[in-house]
Amino acid sequence: MQQIFNFVLKNSNRLLFLLLLALSFILTIQSHSYHKSKIISSANFFTGGIYEKINNIDEYFGLKSQNEELAQENARLKSLLFNQKDTTKLPQIDSIKGVKKINIIVSKVIRNPYSTLENFITINNGSSSGIKPNMGVINSAGIVGIVDKTSENYSTIISVLNVNSKINAKIKKSNHFGSLVWNGKSTGFVQLIDVPRLAGVRKGDTIVTGGQSIIFPENIGIGTIDKVYIDDETNYYTLDIRLFNDMTNLGHIYIVKNKDTEEIINLENQSKKDE
């Protein structure tokens, strides 16, 4: 206490000057609206800058959760899209069980090799999330592959960049079908084989899923025709397809779950037994 008193006594002139200066500022600000507005705007600018910086930091660390939310929303929208026959109409809900025929399971790629002939993608969801073998896998750009095997928390996917992959696909404008395969040469291209010569094909035509299997819904984008070859022996086209997807850069993906799959498989198996 004595030290504080000594300090005040020693610096009394300076302290008095600072006090009078502060009072003069206060009186000036209060009596002049212009000065008052300038002081307030300066204070707001200073604190606003701090809040903006803090908000930017919060947004940066919140990017992961925002990406997850966007992926979930994208999945919901795709579920609506895949459950309508005509994209100009509102989706129809299954009135029997109150669920849609096609559900979407969101997952994320944790391993994506693409330099071998038999490429398998690994994702961070498995049987505990409802994923089963032979489910179709897509992302926002187009098809990715087909689920091969699952564990409780992980799954492997046969990539479209796998020489053993074979997917039903069609030319969108004409509905002519073929089989989508990969020749193992380029990560940006796959091939549509066994396309009949009757099909009118042109470079740039869109290729989509055919819907003749229970794996993928119809009309999911695959790519566009880049080159057209004719097999003189079979009289069929072989088409080079430029993929919509960049298969070397995959993040969030969506597993397509068709609730009718088991029913269809059981029915087909029963028909085979009766033959």
Side-chain angles (χ1 to χ4, degrees), residues 9 103 120 191:
L9 187 63
N103 295 317
F120 289 86
Q191 289 69 46

Side-chain angles (χ1 to χ4, degrees), residues 79-91:
S79 180
L80 292 175
L81 177 63
F82 296 155
N83 281 279
Q84 52 185 336
K85 293 181 179 179
D86 185 347
T87 55
T88 63
K89 297 179 181 179
L90 292 174

Side-chain angles (χ1 to χ4, degrees), residues 29-48:
I29 292 169
Q30 288 182 342
S31 59
H32 296 81
S33 58
Y34 174 79
H35 294 89
K36 186 175 182 179
S37 64
K38 285 295 183 181
I39 292 295
I40 292 173
S41 62
S42 298
N44 288 340
F45 176 79
F46 178 74
T47 56

Side-chain angles (χ1 to χ4, degrees), residues 12-25:
S12 57
N13 292 332
R14 294 179 180 177
L15 293 174
L16 180 61
F17 170 76
L18 292 174
L19 178 61
L20 293 174
L21 182 62
L23 288 172
S24 64
F25 269 112

Side-chain angles (χ1 to χ4, degrees), residues 36-101:
K36 186 175 182 179
S37 64
K38 285 295 183 181
I39 292 295
I40 292 173
S41 62
S42 298
N44 288 340
F45 176 79
F46 178 74
T47 56
I50 294 175
Y51 290 146
E52 183 178 8
K53 296 295 183 184
I54 294 173
N55 183 62
N56 288 340
I57 294 171
D58 289 339
E59 286 183 350
Y60 176 80
F61 287 108
L63 285 176
K64 183 177 180 180
S65 61
Q66 289 178 18
N67 285 336
E68 294 289 345
E69 291 173 3
L70 287 174
Q72 293 288 347
E73 177 64 11
N74 202 357
R76 186 186 70 81
L77 294 175
K78 284 184 177 295
S79 180
L80 292 175
L81 177 63
F82 296 155
N83 281 279
Q84 52 185 336
K85 293 181 179 179
D86 185 347
T87 55
T88 63
K89 297 179 181 179
L90 292 174
Q92 299 296 318
I93 297 176
D94 186 335
S95 60
I96 298 174
K97 295 185 178 180
V99 295
K100 296 180 179 3
K101 289 186 176 181

Side-chain angles (χ1 to χ4, degrees), residues 40-273:
I40 292 173
S41 62
S42 298
N44 288 340
F45 176 79
F46 178 74
T47 56
I50 294 175
Y51 290 146
E52 183 178 8
K53 296 295 183 184
I54 294 173
N55 183 62
N56 288 340
I57 294 171
D58 289 339
E59 286 183 350
Y60 176 80
F61 287 108
L63 285 176
K64 183 177 180 180
S65 61
Q66 289 178 18
N67 285 336
E68 294 289 345
E69 291 173 3
L70 287 174
Q72 293 288 347
E73 177 64 11
N74 202 357
R76 186 186 70 81
L77 294 175
K78 284 184 177 295
S79 180
L80 292 175
L81 177 63
F82 296 155
N83 281 279
Q84 52 185 336
K85 293 181 179 179
D86 185 347
T87 55
T88 63
K89 297 179 181 179
L90 292 174
Q92 299 296 318
I93 297 176
D94 186 335
S95 60
I96 298 174
K97 295 185 178 180
V99 295
K100 296 180 179 3
K101 289 186 176 181
I102 292 176
N103 295 317
I104 301 294
I105 302 171
V106 182
S107 189
K108 189 175 183 181
V109 172
I110 58 175
R111 186 172 182 271
N112 178 31
Y114 45 82
S115 58
T116 67
L117 294 178
E118 298 181 1
N119 296 300
F120 289 86
I121 300 166
T122 305
I123 61 175
N124 63 352
N125 289 87
S127 58
S128 61
S129 299
I131 299 175
K132 297 179 181 178
N134 295 320
M135 286 183 174
V137 183
I138 63 174
N139 67 2
S140 57
I143 66 170
V144 173
I146 300 172
V147 175
D148 181 49
K149 291 180 173 61
T150 65
S151 63
E152 184 177 358
N153 298 307
Y154 299 95
S155 301
T156 55
I157 297 164
I158 302 176
S159 170
V160 292
L161 302 183
N162 187 311
V163 293
N164 296 319
S165 172
K166 195 171 185 179
I167 297 170
N168 175 253
K170 69 177 182 179
I171 303 168
K172 186 176 182 179
K173 72 174 185 179
S174 67
N175 285 327
H176 284 92
F177 291 89
S179 295
L180 196 75
V181 298
W182 186 53
N183 62 12
K185 293 182 179 180
S186 172
T187 58
F189 294 86
V190 293
Q191 289 69 46
L192 188 65
I193 62 173
D194 299 333
V195 178
R197 288 281 295 274
L198 293 174
V201 296
R202 290 185 179 180
K203 182 176 180 179
D205 286 349
T206 300
I207 305 300
V208 296
T209 53
Q212 289 190 352
S213 73
I214 56 176
I215 295 176
F216 290 102
E218 192 174 5
N219 293 325
I220 295 179
I222 295 175
T224 56
I225 298 175
D226 187 71
K227 293 180 181 178
V228 180
Y229 303 96
I230 299 175
D231 190 328
D232 294 328
E233 293 183 1
T234 64
N235 209 32
Y236 283 92
Y237 285 126
T238 293
L239 311 177
D240 262 355
I241 310 301
R242 183 186 296 273
L243 290 168
F244 290 141
N245 244 330
D246 179 1
M247 292 299 295
T248 67
N249 183 23
L250 298 175
H252 284 95
I253 51 90
Y254 311 106
I255 296 91
V256 181
K257 183 180 179 182
N258 190 334
K259 75 178 182 65
D260 293 334
T261 298
E262 293 184 6
E263 180 181 349
I264 295 171
I265 292 174
N266 291 335
L267 179 62
E268 291 177 347
N269 289 338
Q270 187 63 43
S271 296
K272 291 177 182 177
K273 290 179 182 180

